[in-house]
C-alpha cells in the first residue's frame, strides 16, 4: 500500500469549499473526473457508514473515521460493493483494507481568503497510476466549482 498526497489552493472561503466537496451535488460534480455520475449513500458524520458508488452501483464501502467540520475528514475504506453486494471479508479485500482517504482543509498562505485542500490516500499499486492521473483533475474541478461560486 502506498500513500499519495495531492494539494490544491482554492480562492474561495473554507465553508464553501467544505460544502462543495462533501454535499451531494458538489461531490457528483468534482468526482466526475473519476467516473461520470459518481455519488454517495450514507452520511459524513463521524462513525457513519458511507458508500461511494458509480452509476452501476459498484464502488467502495467505508466508515467516516473522523470528521472535524471545516478542518478534517477521514474515510476508512473497508471493502467494495459489486453488483449490490458488499464485500469486506474476502482475501482480495483484506489484502488492502482498511485504507484511508483523508481531506485536510487549512488556510492558504498564498490566498488570504482561500483554502488549501490536502488529500492523502492509501492506494494499492494497481490503482496508483490512475490516482496520480485522475486526482489532480478532480481537484481542479473542485477548484473551478468553488471559485465560480465565490
Amino acid at each position: 500500500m502506498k500513500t499519495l498526497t495531492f494539494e490544491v489552493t482554492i480562492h474561495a472561503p473554507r465553508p464553501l469549499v467544505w460544502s462543495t466537496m462533501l454535499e451531494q451535488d458538489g461531490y457528483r460534480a468534482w468526482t466526475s473526473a473519476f467516473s461520470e455520475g459518481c455519488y454517495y449513500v450514507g452520511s459524513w458524520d463521524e462513525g457513519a457508514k458511507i458508500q461511494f458508488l458509480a452509476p452501476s452501483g459498484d464502488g467502495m464501502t467505508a466508515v467516516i473515521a473522523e470528521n472535524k467540520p471545516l478542518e478534517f475528514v477521514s474515510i476508512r475504506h473497508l471493502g467494495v460493493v459489486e453488483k449490490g453486494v458488499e464485500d469486506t471479508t474476502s482475501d482480495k479485500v483484506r489484502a488492502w483494507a482498511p485504507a484511508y482517504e483523508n481531506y485536510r482543509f487549512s488556510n492558504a498562505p498564498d490566498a488570504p481568503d482561500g483554502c488549501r485542500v490536502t488529500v492523502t490516500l492509501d492506494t494499492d499499486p494497481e490503482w496508483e497510476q490512475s490516482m496520480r492521473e485522475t486526482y489532480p483533475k478532480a481537484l481542479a474541478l473542485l477548484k473551478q466549482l468553488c471559485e465560480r461560486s465565490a
Side-chain angles (χ1 to χ4, degrees):
M1 192 73 67
K2 187 164 188 170
T3 301
L4 304 178
T5 301
F6 303 96
E7 274 191 347
V8 64
T9 297
I10 301 173
H11 297 271
R14 193 184 309 187
L16 175 64
V17 175
W18 174 272
S19 64
T20 302
M21 189 167 217
L22 302 182
E23 290 176 3
Q24 193 70 252
D25 289 342
Y27 178 86
R28 284 177 181 265
W30 75 268
T31 60
S32 67
F34 297 101
S35 176
E36 195 67 42
C38 287
Y39 64 102
Y40 64 84
V41 175
S43 168
W44 291 98
D45 294 336
E46 192 168 309
K49 179 179 175 179
I50 191 166
Q51 293 182 332
F52 302 97
L53 304 168
S56 66
D58 293 345
M60 305 289 289
T61 187
V63 169
I64 301 303
E66 193 172 343
N67 183 329
K68 293 182 180 177
L70 304 178
E71 292 180 20
F72 183 74
V73 173
S74 179
I75 304 163
R76 183 173 53 241
H77 291 284
L78 300 174
V80 297
V81 178
E82 293 178 341
K83 298 180 183 163
V85 177
E86 216 175 62
D87 173 9
T88 59
T89 59
S90 70
D91 289 343
K92 182 179 173 183
V93 167
R94 290 190 333 200
W96 60 263
Y100 287 84
E101 184 174 350
N102 299 315
Y103 298 90
R104 184 168 309 282
F105 301 79
S106 59
N107 294 334
D110 50 341
D113 295 331
C115 176
R116 165 124 349 117
V117 177
T118 304
V119 181
T120 57
L121 62 111
D122 298 331
T123 190
D124 189 87
E126 86 175 82
W127 291 99
E128 181 181 351
Q129 189 57 39
S130 176
M131 291 295 109
R132 287 189 185 281
E133 291 171 6
T134 309
Y135 236 102
K137 294 173 186 174
L139 291 177
L141 283 172
L142 177 66
K143 177 181 176 75
Q144 181 182 27
L145 288 165
C146 293
E147 290 180 353
R148 189 172 38 214
S149 296

